[in-house]
Amino acid sequence: MMFYMFSALLTLHMKDFISAVKQVEGEDPGSEPLVVLKKLRRAASLNDTFTQHFLPNVDSAGAELNSSLSDYIHKAVHHRVTEDFTEEGVVLTPDGTSVALGELLMGMEAGFLSNTGTPKELLHLTLGRNLALTLEQNISASNRFGPDGCWDSITTPQVFTLSDPPSMLTTAQVNGGMDGTLLGMEVSNKSRKNVKLSSLLTEYYCHQLKGKGMDEAPLLISQRRKDNFRRLVLPSRLSRTTVESEELQRRLAGGSTMDEMEKGQMMGRIEEGMNEFIHMYMDCPPIIPRCQWGAKPYKGTPTNLSLPLNFLYIHHTYIPGQPCLTFEQCSANMRSMQRFHQEERGWDDIGYSFVAGSDGFLYEGRGWLWRGAHTLGQNSRGYGVSFIGDYTSQLPSQHAMGLVRHQLTSCAVGGGRLVGNFTLQGHRQVVATACPGNALYSEITGWEHFEY
């Protein structure tokens, strides 16, 4: 009865899912992480033939969980997309991103099972199978991956709705696959074999940033997902795993074995699609979409930009003057800026194209396609990117500057949004203003593409 009352209060937030994991651990104190993971996988019905090829059958997972706990876990972990684009089996994490739990849990289980330190099963379970299903579909690159989506509530999330028609591999599944790979590799290390599952998830997803933000944060936290995955997994390895996963799925389904020519043709298709995956999920920075930070609608009709653009203009917000270190605070800052720009300035929307927080993320303002209101007289020629904070006498975090200086610009050029020889300038160079602050302006004069 106690958990029944408790489960009614649980949301699809990672913190609540961790609470449920603690309940599973508490039902059998001292149980090994593998036992807990098998129970979670059984409750979520993650036991198909492909999974069983790599992981133990969950029928031997011990005593059944109580029905209320089992129902909650099934709701939180079992993945599907409904006809109205609701994505189930995902949770909201404290950093503001959404994660599919199935891929996460299977990756960790493969890591705990490994005795070699480099479990080859990891990528098959976390990303290989889903990538194979996606890349073997005859669809255009623009619809091959994603999309992301938004929750009905940030504080009590229950329903996650995708922003566009889904592909075979949504952004939440990619996030879960990356996290499952990273945490699976972590627990494959002998020194981490006995860590409690709830403790590992708390450590990874619930770290609270302090003073210098990401500059002094641990290496293995969710905000570093893309950077860590990029360092750990070579694109060539991911391509090979995807081909192997496709071969295995065909064999398990009773299909014929591919000859070398067919395998080569498949590798060609997969490598072509893998370039788009790498651009979207490894090269581009993590960006919190408008709906996720609570943006109000654009007033009127946006004007589309004519791409690619030639300029990138750097700003600071000045007000708010302090860097934001959490998804909640950065989102509140975005809403405050949007109110000021719409209600006080009379603009159609928040003026910036993108805004950099100190929490490890960029925030979508007017985005890639809409003309902004950031640099008077130049809004059709370039994107305006602002750093939250006053940078008259101090600099943003190195991590925040790196997101803009390296990842955002690389993403923009690679995606055809900025020309390769674009010009980077400070706001003050084209408008009579102190923006982006003396310290930040001095810093960007040393960046590639800067021109006086």
Side-chain angles (χ1 to χ4, degrees), residues 317-339:
T317 63
Y318 186 67
I319 297 174
Q322 295 300 314
C324 58
L325 299 176
T326 66
F327 164 64
E328 290 82 359
Q329 185 57 55
C330 293
S331 295
N333 288 163
M334 292 295 291
R335 293 192 296 271
S336 177
M337 283 186 279
Q338 187 186 42
R339 280 195 301 271

Side-chain angles (χ1 to χ4, degrees), residues 141-152:
S142 61
N143 298 318
R144 193 172 277 148
F145 302 111
D148 206 342
C150 285
W151 290 90
D152 57 333

Side-chain angles (χ1 to χ4, degrees), residues 328-354:
E328 290 82 359
Q329 185 57 55
C330 293
S331 295
N333 288 163
M334 292 295 291
R335 293 192 296 271
S336 177
M337 283 186 279
Q338 187 186 42
R339 280 195 301 271
F340 176 72
H341 289 174
Q342 286 185 323
E343 297 173 12
E344 300 297 322
R345 293 281 178 87
W347 298 345
D348 294 332
D349 196 5
I350 188 170
Y352 307 119
S353 306
F354 296 96

Side-chain angles (χ1 to χ4, degrees), residues 391-413:
Y391 297 108
T392 302
S393 57
Q394 63 179 351
L395 286 174
S397 69
Q398 291 297 316
H399 188 274
M401 289 192 292
L403 285 178
V404 175
R405 180 180 184 179
H406 302 299
Q407 294 187 39
L408 184 69
T409 55
S410 174
C411 179
V413 172

Side-chain angles (χ1 to χ4, degrees), residues 79-101:
H79 187 270
R80 75 180 186 120
V81 178
T82 67
E83 292 182 355
D84 60 356
F85 301 165
T86 296
E87 186 174 11
E88 300 176 353
V90 302
V91 297
L92 173 64
T93 68
D95 67 23
T97 58
S98 300
V99 169
L101 290 175

Side-chain angles (χ1 to χ4, degrees), residues 187-361:
V187 300
S188 68
N189 187 308
K190 289 183 179 179
S191 65
R192 300 286 275 170
K193 287 292 186 184
N194 294 319
V195 64
K196 290 184 73 171
L197 186 60
S198 59
S199 298
L200 179 64
L201 292 173
T202 300
E203 182 183 321
Y204 184 75
Y205 288 109
C206 303
H207 177 79
Q208 294 185 343
L209 299 176
K210 298 177 181 177
K212 295 183 180 179
M214 293 292 291
D215 287 357
E216 60 180 13
L219 289 178
L220 192 65
I221 57 174
S222 60
Q223 292 95 321
R224 298 192 192 276
R225 173 186 298 119
K226 287 192 174 187
D227 291 341
N228 286 334
F229 189 82
R230 187 188 303 112
R231 283 193 290 267
L232 182 68
V233 180
L234 294 175
S236 58
R237 181 186 175 192
L238 195 53
S239 293
R240 287 196 306 272
T241 300
T242 303
V243 172
E244 292 167 3
S245 293
E246 174 63 18
E247 285 185 287
L248 176 59
Q249 289 181 100
R250 292 189 184 189
R251 188 165 71 248
L252 292 173
S256 59
T257 303
M258 288 187 289
D259 59 29
E260 290 303 313
M261 178 178 293
E262 187 178 1
K263 192 182 297 185
Q265 291 172 342
M266 179 193 294
M267 177 61 84
R269 292 194 301 273
I270 285 176
E271 288 183 342
E272 179 185 349
M274 195 64 68
N275 291 331
E276 178 66 19
F277 178 86
I278 291 166
H279 170 75
M280 192 168 175
Y281 292 113
M282 296 172 73
D283 293 342
C284 288
I287 299 174
I288 301 295
R290 289 171 59 89
C291 58
Q292 191 72 343
W293 59 260
K296 289 185 177 180
Y298 189 101
K299 292 183 176 180
T301 303
T303 299
N304 287 331
L305 292 164
S306 179
L307 303 180
L309 304 183
N310 293 288
F311 290 87
L312 183 70
Y313 301 105
I314 301 297
H315 301 248
H316 71 160
T317 63
Y318 186 67
I319 297 174
Q322 295 300 314
C324 58
L325 299 176
T326 66
F327 164 64
E328 290 82 359
Q329 185 57 55
C330 293
S331 295
N333 288 163
M334 292 295 291
R335 293 192 296 271
S336 177
M337 283 186 279
Q338 187 186 42
R339 280 195 301 271
F340 176 72
H341 289 174
Q342 286 185 323
E343 297 173 12
E344 300 297 322
R345 293 281 178 87
W347 298 345
D348 294 332
D349 196 5
I350 188 170
Y352 307 119
S353 306
F354 296 96
V355 179
S358 293
D359 62 334
F361 293 90

